[in-house]
Amino acid sequence: MALSVPCYSPSFRKPPEVVRLRRKRARSRGAAASPPRELPEPAARRAALAAGLHLRPFPAAGGRGGGGGPAAARRNPFARLDNRPRVAAEPPDGLAREQPEAPGPFLDSNQENDLLWEEKFPERTTVTELPQTSHVSFSESDIPSSENTELPVDWSIKTRLLFTSSQPFTWADHLKAQEEAQGLVQHCRATEVTLPKSIQDPKLSTELRCAFQQSLIYWLHPALSWLPLFPRIGADRKMAGKTSPWSNDATLQHVLMSDWSVSFTSLYNLLKTKLCPYFYVCTYQFTVLFRAAGLAGSDLITALISPTTRGLREAMRNEGIEFSLPLIKESGYKKETASGTSLGYGEEQAISDEDEEESFSWLEEMGVQDKIKKPDILSIKLRKEKHEVQMDHRPESVVLVKGINTFTLLNFLINCKSLVATSGPQAGLPPTLLSPVAFRGATMQILKARSVNVKTQALSGYRDQFSLEITGPIMPHSLHSLTMLLKSSQSGSFSAVLYPHEPTAVFNICLPVDKLLDMEVVHKELTNCGLHPNTLEQLSQIPLLGKSSLRNVVLRDYIYNWRS
């Protein structure tokens, strides 16, 4: 006895079934009206047959409907012609082998990239596919620079590097205790390591593995293992919910700032004596890059601050710090200095007030000065400084301090109350100091490195693709050291995606140079700064990237191509 289901009609047909019946009737009518004929073979089938693949017979038209002849099984239109990988005819001259793959879409936000990486590459799962961003290659129109054997100097701090190569990076995993210890000693003693142009078996090269450990080391203050101390700009979300016992303890905040001031002063003294090439001061609002004399084509100590605000520039001016805005044209805005030989800020303000008084003097002559409401002084001042407010928090607001004024800037930053946040997750936490060499109160830190072996689709099936991920505050010397190592270990062929900390990209601007420096003298004076001679030579170059930084790098046959 059949059960009756409410709201059920035996004659009801779902829409896909109705469409299927209509197509079947149309095929039946077409087969009855026209004689059977042979269909032309598809182009993909002809290419497969030309390559020597054995394919099953293609169904004839007469076997599809009610025509004559034996009825053959209908072929699934969505099925592949063969279970083997597709084979495409190779173009002449082997151009397909040299043609690079198209790059995938790159994300602008570092947080989004990190989130995607964590989702696709969990620590305890098996990786089967690499994201498209790892295949780094681009056409000639995307490369603004010519081919070169060295990369241009990049002063931005990177948060992540992703290297890919056809050769494995297994040599970078699981360093032995002796190799790790040797790498630490080489860094502390600034040992110069010179690798051969190509290493046949990198996994057996102890010298390579020690040099790799040496290139991952940097120095940090303060060091709080449960807090991410870089980047500091926009890090409130990452720090939310973390333990911060100093936020409501004024005594503890004073102790932290006292230790920080000692470390900051120690770094500046090392920089002044050319024992430290450069260092960064990372606050929750801006970042400062201090560079020793001789680097970036300057014969004086320089300090770049980005981004800045009108209030910060006003405070620096009141402290007597002479500075300039390199990205603001002289024709559009006046050079900002606390005092100058031609015209000081106080004189400019006095002249401005006199002009305002003269502009309203004609009202008194007519006797209507009391009947017309004049704009207040504050409105006039804000209107005049409108251009300064508009460029706040933008790359154009970068400030340059040179020479003896960098020491005044040091004292200003130590005594500046707004340097430390008063509320939020970063309240009471001193700025982060990053340096390539040791300094007083610093803690040795190591960048995180992880290699991954994945499968990528190619014309002839699947091939192995190897990647190496480096995360952490990657400073310019580490980037150059890593590229030198990989040039030897990967036989002069690899690609890389670089993720910069955006507020530091403007540090690549070309500064005004008064005179050309003698590079031999510069290298001799900075011999004891703790950098490899090749790295020191690169950092001595004049920056050419402007407000941008390196994003993609491709090395083929020991020749670099890059895109910023």
Side-chain angles (χ1 to χ4, degrees):
M1 180 176 179
L3 297 176
S4 60
V5 181
C7 302
Y8 173 74
S9 175
S11 62
F12 174 77
R13 297 184 183 278
K14 295 182 179 180
E17 296 180 2
V18 176
V19 175
R20 195 179 298 112
L21 288 173
R22 289 180 179 176
R23 289 178 178 173
K24 186 174 182 180
R25 291 170 186 168
R27 286 196 298 268
S28 300
R29 295 194 194 99
S34 60
R37 60 186 179 86
E38 294 184 0
L39 294 176
E41 293 182 340
R45 182 178 176 84
R46 291 197 303 270
L49 292 173
L53 296 178
H54 300 286
L55 307 179
R56 56 176 177 267
F58 194 81
R64 293 187 179 186
R74 178 171 174 268
R75 185 180 69 87
N76 184 359
F78 301 102
R80 295 175 62 174
L81 295 179
D82 189 65
N83 291 331
R84 303 181 186 180
R86 297 180 184 176
V87 178
E90 294 185 1
D93 300 330
L95 295 177
R97 299 177 182 176
E98 300 177 0
Q99 203 168 21
E101 300 174 359
F106 297 102
L107 300 178
D108 294 331
S109 173
N110 289 337
Q111 285 95 357
E112 293 178 2
N113 283 302
D114 294 339
L115 183 60
L116 282 174
W117 182 262
E118 291 173 1
E119 292 175 357
K120 289 181 177 290
F121 295 90
E123 291 288 346
R124 300 184 180 180
T125 56
T126 303
V127 181
T128 57
E129 186 175 0
L130 189 69
Q132 292 185 359
T133 56
S134 62
H135 304 286
V136 185
S137 51
F138 31 84
S139 60
E140 293 180 0
S141 59
D142 294 330
I143 302 174
S145 58
S146 59
E147 296 180 347
N148 204 335
T149 56
E150 290 292 337
L151 289 173
V153 60
D154 188 349
W155 286 100
S156 65
I157 306 178
K158 304 296 184 295
T159 58
R160 180 167 164 247
L161 302 177
L162 183 61
F163 296 96
T164 57
S165 175
S166 58
Q167 299 185 22
F169 291 97
T170 52
W171 55 267
D173 289 336
H174 309 298
L175 299 181
K176 299 178 182 178
Q178 183 179 0
E179 294 170 340
E180 182 177 354
Q182 183 66 27
L184 298 179
V185 171
Q186 289 179 184
H187 171 81
C188 295
R189 297 178 180 175
T191 305
E192 179 183 342
V193 179
T194 303
L195 297 174
K197 185 176 181 180
S198 178
I199 301 176
Q200 298 298 328
D201 194 349
K203 197 170 183 179
L204 299 179
S205 176
T206 302
E207 187 180 17
L208 171 66
R209 291 158 67 89
C210 294
F212 179 69
Q213 175 74 10
Q214 179 182 358
S215 64
L216 298 179
I217 298 174
Y218 66 98
W219 296 85
L220 173 76
H221 179 88
L224 305 170
S225 57
W226 69 93
L227 279 181
L229 293 175
F230 181 83
R232 295 292 296 272
I233 299 178
D236 288 353
R237 205 165 98 184
K238 292 184 178 180
M239 290 188 178
K242 305 288 185 180
T243 304
S244 53
W246 54 82
S247 57
N248 297 320
D249 191 338
T251 305
L252 187 54
Q253 290 183 15
H254 178 74
V255 171
L256 289 176
M257 281 303 300
S258 177
D259 292 343
W260 180 84
S261 301
V262 172
S263 298
F264 188 18
T265 306
S266 170
L267 259 179
Y268 183 83
N269 291 335
L270 290 172
L271 186 85
K272 188 176 180 181
T273 55
K274 297 185 178 181
L275 297 177
C276 174
Y278 64 90
F279 67 90
Y280 293 87
V281 182
C282 307
T283 75
Y284 76 106
Q285 287 183 322
F286 56 86
T287 305
V288 188
L289 167 61
F290 284 86
R291 288 187 294 217
L295 297 187
S298 176
D299 59 339
L300 299 174
I301 297 177
T302 58
L304 288 171
I305 311 173
S306 174
T308 63
T309 60
R310 185 175 63 90
L312 177 62
R313 296 190 295 271
E314 188 74 21
M316 293 172 59
R317 186 185 294 113
N318 294 336
E319 289 294 325
I321 302 175
E322 295 185 8
F323 62 89
S324 61
L325 299 170
L327 295 182
I328 303 300
K329 295 182 179 179
E330 294 289 337
S331 58
Y333 309 111
K334 296 181 180 180
K335 184 178 181 181
E336 294 196 24
T337 56
S339 60
T341 55
S342 58
L343 193 62
Y345 174 77
E347 297 177 7
E348 290 182 5
Q349 186 67 25
I351 293 176
S352 174
D353 294 340
E354 292 176 1
D355 292 342
E356 289 298 331
E357 293 177 0
E358 293 177 0
S359 62
F360 295 108
S361 61
W362 62 276
L363 294 176
E364 297 179 0
E365 296 176 358
M366 297 179 63
V368 294
Q369 70 275 10
D370 298 330
K371 298 180 180 180
I372 298 179
K373 185 179 180 181
K374 297 186 293 184
D376 57 308
I377 298 177
L378 182 61
S379 300
I380 296 174
K381 186 176 180 180
L382 289 177
R383 186 172 67 252
K384 287 185 175 181
E385 296 178 350
K386 182 180 179 182
H387 66 275
E388 291 189 38
V389 178
Q390 287 178 343
M391 69 180 180
D392 286 355
H393 302 290
R394 301 181 61 182
E396 290 76 14
S397 67
V398 61
V399 163
L400 170 63
V401 183
K402 301 175 65 175
I404 192 62
N405 289 282
T406 57
F407 181 73
T408 312
L409 176 64
L410 166 75
N411 294 324
F412 168 75
L413 293 177
I414 290 176
N415 300 315
C416 182
K417 294 183 179 180
S418 61
L419 195 70
V420 180
T422 57
S423 61
Q426 301 191 56
L429 185 62
T432 301
L433 300 176
L434 293 172
S435 170
V437 298
F439 58 95
R440 185 173 176 181
T443 304
M444 178 186 289
Q445 301 288 331
I446 298 178
L447 300 173
K448 295 181 180 179
R450 185 165 62 105
S451 64
V452 181
N453 180 13
V454 299
K455 297 284 186 179
T456 57
Q457 193 170 5
L459 293 176
S460 59
Y462 289 91
R463 66 176 179 179
D464 290 328
Q465 187 77 11
F466 305 95
S467 65
L468 176 66
E469 183 196 30
I470 310 292
T471 55
I474 305 163
M475 289 183 281
H477 75 285
S478 296
L479 175 62
H480 186 261
S481 299
L482 288 170
T483 53
M484 285 197 305
L485 290 176
L486 297 182
K487 186 187 294 187
S488 299
S489 65
Q490 309 307 117
S491 301
S493 179
F494 66 83
S495 59
V497 183
L498 299 84
Y499 299 87
H501 180 46
E502 292 300 336
T504 63
V506 73
F507 292 156
N508 290 316
I509 59 173
C510 180
L511 303 179
V513 179
D514 299 331
K515 61 179 181 179
L516 294 178
L517 303 180
D518 187 352
M519 289 295 103
E520 293 184 2
V521 177
V522 170
H523 295 165
K524 185 177 180 180
E525 293 177 349
L526 291 169
T527 303
N528 298 322
C529 71
L531 297 183
H532 192 280
N534 294 342
T535 304
L536 180 60
E537 182 180 358
Q538 191 205 38
L539 297 182
S540 303
Q541 299 174 5
I542 299 176
L544 302 175
L545 296 175
K547 293 187 292 183
S548 61
S549 61
L550 292 177
R551 306 278 178 171
N552 308 109
V553 173
V554 173
L555 178 68
R556 287 196 184 95
D557 298 329
Y558 300 95
I559 300 297
Y560 282 108
N561 283 324
W562 64 85
R563 184 173 64 182
S564 60

